[in-house]
Amino acid sequence: MANTVAISSGRIPAAFSGFRIAQVSDLHNAEFGDGNAELLKLLSESKPDIIVITGDLIDANHTDVGIALGFAQESVRIAPTYYVTGNHEAASPQYDTLKAGLECSCTVKKQATENKR
């Protein structure tokens, strides 16, 4: 479930030495423990500098915005959280509700799939 990858490059500024990014993607409304407690604990223990959620927090066919928003609201307590939409968000009739809720807690970045709505 969790992997750690160290990246080094002369193109990365020294200020980012030791910078930790936790990426979460494709949850599709899954929960790991009550209210995603297990996933949030794992994120917290990894001590990230930022968390990036890279789409598909929800499943377009079985959308539960509450699960997605609950996870996002708790993730920002761990580290600044950034979010980009995935194809399931773009296809969901509840997209506007999800986006509004995420904008209250995360930094939301516009992605190409959003332009196709």
Side-chain angles (χ1 to χ4, degrees), residues 21-24 43 48-53 75-76 78-82:
I21 301 169
Q23 178 188 9
V24 177
L43 280 170
D49 293 292
I50 64 170
I51 298 169
V52 294
I53 303 172
S75 70
V76 299
I78 297 167
T81 301
Y82 299 85

Side-chain angles (χ1 to χ4, degrees), residues 12-89:
I12 300 173
F16 286 98
S17 179
F19 194 83
R20 297 177 66 88
I21 301 169
Q23 178 188 9
V24 177
S25 186
D26 296 286
L27 288 179
H28 296 277
N29 280 129
E31 285 188 281
F32 297 91
D34 187 35
N36 269 311
E38 291 175 30
L39 178 56
L40 290 161
K41 181 178 184 234
L42 185 64
L43 280 170
S44 182
E45 289 171 351
S46 70
K47 300 188 185 327
D49 293 292
I50 64 170
I51 298 169
V52 294
I53 303 172
T54 52
D56 294 349
L57 269 179
I58 62 171
D59 183 297
N61 298 313
H62 307 285
T63 301
D64 187 332
V65 172
I67 291 173
L69 292 178
F71 172 75
Q73 290 164 349
E74 291 301 316
S75 70
V76 299
R77 294 176 186 218
I78 297 167
T81 301
Y82 299 85
Y83 175 81
V84 294
T85 57
N87 63 310
H88 281 261
E89 285 84 5

